[in-house]
Amino acid sequence: YGVYLRNTEAKVQNCYVHDCWRGIGVVTGTTSATDGEILIQFNEVANTTAPGIFINAPPNPVVKVYYTAIHDNGGTGIYSGQSVTALINNAVASNAGNGGIEILNSPDVTILNNIVASNTGNGILCTSAAPAITYNDVWDNSLGDYSGCSGGDGSMSVDPIFCNAASGIVSVHATSPTLGAGEYGWDMGALGIGCPIGPQELEVIQDGASLDLAWSPPPPEERADVDYYIVYRDTTQVATNQVATVDAPDTTFTDITIPACLSHYYRVSAVDLGGLEGAPSSKVSAELCYDGPYDLDVLFSEGANEMSWSQGDGPIEYYVIQRSTIVDEPDSVGWVASGVGYFIDTAVADCPRDNYSYEILPVYDTGWRGEMTGKVTIDPAPSPPAGIVAEWVGPDVVLTWDHNCEADFRRYWVYRDTVPLAPPPESERLIGFLAETTFVDEGPNPNKTWFYRLAATDADAQRSRYSEQVYLGTGTTLTVPAPYTTIQEAITAASALDTVAVGPGTYEESIVLKDGVFVVSTDGPATTTITWPGGSIVTASTLSDLSLFSGFTVDGAGMASNGIDCWASYVRIDDCVFRNTITGGSFRFGGGPLLFGNTFEDNQNGVAVADSSAPFLSGNTFQGNTFAGLYTSGSPGPEIGRALSDANDFLGGGFYRVFNLGAEEIDADYNYWGDVCVDPAWFYGSIDYIPWTDADHTGTYVDCPDAVAEGDLSDRPFASYNYPNPFNPSTAINYNVPSTGGRVRLTVYDLAGRKVKTLVDGDPGPGSHLVVWHGRDEEGRELGSGVYFYRLEIGDYRVDRKMVMLK
C-alpha cells in the first residue's frame, strides 16, 4: 500500500501515490470499525498494480474521496465494498481491472461530479448495490459506461480527455459536469491536472433584443495559437450545450437563440490549431426578457376567428400567430408586422366550429423570439349536421349524413314527427342519439309523411343549431292563375308538401303563407309581381314552418308597411325582390328564417329584425333603401353571412348599411359594402363589419388604410323618415348636419299643430346624428295613439314629416 488505513479516523490530502500494489487502502481487521470519517482529497493515485483506492470498512468509518485523480492503475480505479462512501469531483481514467469504479454490497454510496473515462472494463460497475449517481461524465469505457446501475440527473457522456493523454495528464473537458455543478462545484484545473487556462474576461451584455458576448484570448504563453472558440450555454450552472463556434481572432458573439425570460449560464473555450480544446472561461449568467404582448382575445365566427392583442415591449419586428387544437400541436398560421394588434384566421373555414387555441409569439429586430402569450381557446358549439339523406329501405327509414369535423364532437340527436319540426323540437320527438352517421328508424307508418331534424353535441354538452329539415312524403302541385284564380286561394287549398306554382303576371292581393306549403313562381321575379297598397303584402306566421316563398317581386307601391312580415317563422325566402315599402322584410317574435339571393331596394329599411328573431342572410342585395339596408333592435339579431360564399351586397342608399339598436354585437363579416374599404359612418351601434369580399366575392380580407372619418357623408342637411313608423312606444330619427354646422331644432307637434316635445335645440356639430322619441311630452307624460309631425330646422333648411303612434 502507498497509504494504509485501518480502524481509524484520518485525512489524506495533497499526496502523489504511485507504483504500489494498492495506492490507498481503507480496511478493517478483526476488531470493530471506528466511527468517524476518513477524508481522501487533492491527491493523485497512478500506476499501481491493483486498485488505485481500495475501500472495505463496513459500515464505519464513512470514507470520502474528493478532488483526486486516479489513473493508469493496473486494477480498478476505486473499489468500495460494504462501506459508506462518497466519491465527489474525481477524475478516474485509464484504469484496468473491472474498470473505473466498482461498488460491491455498499449500503450507502454517493457518486457525484466525477469523470470516469477510458477505463478497461466498465465505467461504473454496481454489484448488489444502488449508489446515488448524479452529475458525472462517464465516457468511452471498454465494457460500457454502466453495469448494474445507470447515470442519474445531470450525467453525460462527453470526451473528457484532451491535451496530451499519452503523458498521463488527465484533463477536464470544458463541458464536464465536474466544473461547477452541484453543491461541490470546483475547477479541476486548480490541481494542476487540467489543460492551460481558457479565454479570459468573459462578459455578457444585453443590447436591445440580443445578448452580446465578448472575451479575451487565453494568454499566448499557455498554449498553441487558437483556431476557434466554442460558446456553451445552458439553464443549469454548468454550460454543456454548444450553441456556436467563433473563428479566431474574433472574440465576440451575439446570441439571438436564447429562450425568453430564463437565466442562462455561458462559458467559452478555445480550440488550438491541433484540434485540442482547452479549459473553459469563467462562468457568466444573463437573461433576456421583454414583457408582452398582452390581453390576447379571440372571437369566434363561422369562417374566420378574429384575434386582437395589445403591443408587447421592446423592438418587436413582427408577431407569429400559433394555432393548435386538442389533437394538433401548435403551428404557425400567419404573421403580422409590429404595430398591428389583430389577425384574422381564415384557414379554419373547413371546420369553423372546432376548438382552436391561439398564442402570439413576438419576434424582435435581431430575430430573437420572445415569450409566447398565454394560450386562449375558443369552444363554440358544433356545426349542425349536414348532408342529411332520408330514404325507405324496406319497412324502415334510413337516415345518413356527413360526419362532424370537430375534434370534441360526441353524439347526434335525431328527432321525428308527422308534422314539420320547428326548432327546438319537443323532447318527446327524440327517437335516438348516437355517435355514428347512420340511423335506422324502424317501421314507421309508410302511409304518413315523416319529418326529421338532427342536432349535434360536443364534450361540454353544447348543442349545435338544428339541421335543415328532411322529410319523406309526396305533395301535389296547385297552379295559379288556373284553375286557382288567386295565390291565396291555392295556398288555402294546399296541404303540407304541396307546391303552389304561380305563372307570370301581377297579382294584387296580400297572402298568408301556410305551414309546409311551397309558393313559387314559374318564371321568376322579373315577370311575376305581388302588390298591395297597405299593411303586409306577404305574412309568414308560426304556421309557416317549412314553407318556401320563391321567385317573386313584392311591390308595396310606396304604401305597404312590409313586403313580408314574419312572426316566429322559419320560412325560407329565395330569389325575391322587395321594393317600395316601409320595410322590405320584417322579422320578429323569434324564429330563424332563411333569406337567400333576394334583393331589397327602394324601401325605407331593407330588412328589420326585432325581438328574438334570428334570420340568416346569404347572397342578398341591399340598395337604395333610404334609412338602412338592415335595421335590428332585438337579440340575438340576424346572422349576416357565415362565410365568404354567403356574402351579402350592401350597395348604398340612405344613411346606414347596418343600424343596430340591440345590445349584442352583430357579426357582419364576409359582406361587400359597396367599396372594399368601408366608412364607419355607414354603421350604427355595435357591429363587426370588416370588409371581407370584393364585388365578385372572390377576395379575402383587405387591410384598409385609415377609414374615412365618421360623419364624412354628403355635405348637406338631411332628415330621415322616422323608424319604425307606425311605432310603439319609441321611434328613431336620423339627421345630418353639414360641415358648416349651425343651430339645430328638432320639434314634435300633434295633429292640431301644438308643440309636444323639443328633441334638439342647439349645435350638435357636423355629421350624422340620431335622436329617439319615446312618445312622451315635455313633462314626461305618455301620449296616446295618433298622428304626429316632426320638424327639423338647420339654418335655412326645414323639413316636416309625419309619424303614427299606435298603442
Side-chain angles (χ1 to χ4, degrees), residues 93-425:
S94 301
N95 299 288
N98 288 330
I101 299 173
E102 181 180 359
I103 307 299
L104 175 66
N105 296 329
S106 293
D108 188 0
V109 176
T110 298
I111 303 176
L112 172 68
N113 294 357
N114 300 280
I115 292 175
V116 185
S118 301
N119 296 285
T120 302
N122 296 111
I124 300 177
L125 171 64
C126 303
T127 305
S128 302
I133 304 174
T134 53
Y135 291 98
N136 297 281
D137 187 349
V138 184
W139 183 84
D140 193 33
N141 298 283
S142 62
L143 295 183
D145 293 339
Y146 298 94
S147 178
C149 48
S150 60
D153 291 343
S155 293
M156 58 184 293
S157 179
V158 176
D159 182 1
I161 307 299
F162 55 94
C163 298
N164 189 355
S167 68
I169 297 177
V170 179
S171 304
V172 181
H173 191 275
T175 62
S176 172
T178 64
L179 297 178
E183 179 183 357
Y184 302 96
W186 172 75
D187 189 341
M188 292 291 288
L191 286 180
I193 61 172
C195 285
I197 61 177
Q200 303 293 296
E201 300 172 337
L202 174 63
E203 290 184 335
V204 183
I205 300 173
Q206 179 177 343
D207 181 15
S210 67
L211 293 178
D212 293 348
L213 282 69
W215 60 89
S216 300
E221 68 275 7
E222 293 289 339
R223 58 175 303 130
D225 291 340
V226 176
D227 184 16
Y228 62 91
Y229 297 95
I230 300 176
V231 180
Y232 295 95
R233 182 194 73 211
D234 214 324
T235 54
T236 64
Q237 292 196 23
V238 181
T240 60
N241 179 36
Q242 178 178 323
V243 295
T245 59
V246 177
D247 291 335
D250 192 8
T251 56
T252 62
F253 171 70
T254 297
D255 192 359
I256 62 172
T257 65
I258 176 173
C261 302
L262 291 172
S263 293
H264 287 78
Y265 298 87
Y266 289 89
R267 288 177 182 268
V268 178
S269 67
V271 179
D272 65 22
L273 295 175
L276 298 177
E277 180 178 2
S281 67
S282 59
K283 175 179 59 184
V284 178
S285 65
E287 176 180 306
L288 182 56
C289 188
Y290 284 107
D291 290 335
Y294 308 91
D295 305 323
L296 174 62
D297 186 40
V298 183
L299 295 177
F300 163 76
S301 65
E302 288 286 350
N305 295 320
E306 302 174 30
M307 281 144 276
S308 61
W309 59 90
S310 300
Q311 296 293 308
D313 300 336
I316 296 172
E317 184 168 338
Y318 60 93
Y319 296 100
V320 176
I321 291 84
Q322 300 262 20
R323 183 188 69 211
S324 60
T325 69
I326 59 177
V327 296
D328 297 322
E329 292 297 319
D331 195 10
S332 172
V333 294
W335 66 275
V336 296
S338 176
V340 177
Y342 64 90
F343 179 79
I344 301 174
D345 184 10
T346 61
V348 299
D350 289 342
C351 192
R353 289 182 163 271
D354 209 348
N355 291 7
Y356 294 104
S357 298
Y358 292 92
E359 301 166 281
I360 309 297
L361 172 69
V363 180
Y364 290 76
D365 54 5
T366 61
W368 178 70
R369 301 167 79 84
E371 191 170 28
M372 195 91 70
T373 63
K375 185 178 292 186
V376 176
T377 300
I378 54 173
D379 182 15
S383 302
I388 305 169
V389 176
E391 57 183 346
W392 288 100
V393 178
D396 304 326
V397 173
V398 177
L399 298 172
T400 59
W401 57 91
D402 299 332
H403 186 67
N404 273 48
C405 60
E406 296 86 11
D408 66 336
F409 162 80
R410 287 298 180 266
R411 58 177 54 88
Y412 299 101
W413 304 77
V414 183
Y415 297 85
R416 181 197 68 190
D417 205 344
T418 55
V419 296
L421 289 154

Side-chain angles (χ1 to χ4, degrees), residues 463-738:
R463 186 177 295 267
S464 72
R465 296 187 302 270
Y466 289 91
S467 70
E468 291 189 9
Q469 195 155 214
V470 296
Y471 54 87
L472 287 168
T474 58
T476 60
T477 299
L478 294 80
T479 59
V480 181
Y484 296 93
T485 58
T486 67
I487 301 172
Q488 187 61 59
E489 182 184 1
I491 293 173
T492 303
S495 300
L497 304 186
D498 287 348
T499 298
V500 174
V502 182
T506 298
Y507 298 84
E508 296 183 5
E509 58 177 308
S510 64
I511 64 173
V512 178
L513 301 180
K514 190 176 183 179
D515 196 16
V517 174
F518 311 137
V519 181
V520 300
S521 72
T522 58
D523 274 17
T527 61
T528 312
T529 299
I530 306 174
T531 183
W532 192 249
S536 297
I537 303 172
V538 181
T539 300
S541 68
T542 53
L543 298 179
S544 62
D545 296 322
L546 202 65
S547 296
L548 171 67
F549 184 70
S550 176
F552 295 92
T553 289
V554 179
D555 193 330
M559 294 178 283
S561 297
N562 302 298
I564 184 167
D565 189 14
C566 296
W567 301 7
S569 172
Y570 291 84
V571 64
R572 178 178 175 126
I573 306 168
D574 286 352
D575 190 30
C576 291
V577 177
F578 298 90
R579 65 189 182 199
N580 299 325
T581 68
I582 293 177
T583 301
S586 174
F587 303 94
R588 48 193 173 137
F589 303 128
L594 304 175
L595 285 69
F596 292 93
N598 304 286
T599 297
F600 297 88
E601 62 184 12
D602 301 327
N603 307 283
Q604 183 171 317
N605 290 283
V607 166
V609 181
D611 307 307
S612 58
S613 183
F616 171 56
L617 286 71
S618 174
N620 302 283
T621 299
F622 299 81
Q623 59 185 355
N625 300 290
T626 58
F627 184 75
L630 193 148
Y631 178 103
T632 178
S633 59
S635 177
E639 287 188 86
I640 313 174
R642 290 175 184 159
L644 199 60
S645 59
D646 295 316
N648 299 278
D649 290 336
F650 292 81
L651 303 180
F655 280 93
Y656 298 102
R657 304 294 197 267
V658 180
F659 184 94
N660 180 22
L661 283 180
E664 296 190 26
E665 182 177 73
I666 299 299
D667 186 354
D669 289 339
Y670 307 107
N671 297 289
Y672 178 60
W673 305 104
D675 194 339
V676 173
C677 293
V678 305
D679 185 333
W682 296 342
F683 304 88
Y684 182 89
S686 182
I687 303 162
D688 184 356
Y689 54 82
I690 291 173
W692 276 95
T693 70
D694 54 26
D696 297 324
H697 305 158
T698 58
T700 54
Y701 170 69
V702 175
D703 190 3
C704 292
D706 292 339
V708 178
E710 185 170 349
D712 188 11
L713 302 171
S714 57
D715 195 19
R716 60 183 177 87
F718 181 84
S720 73
Y721 291 94
N722 65 298
Y723 186 84
N725 191 24
F727 65 93
N728 177 25
S730 59
T731 188
I733 303 167
N734 177 265
Y735 63 93
N736 190 64
V737 180

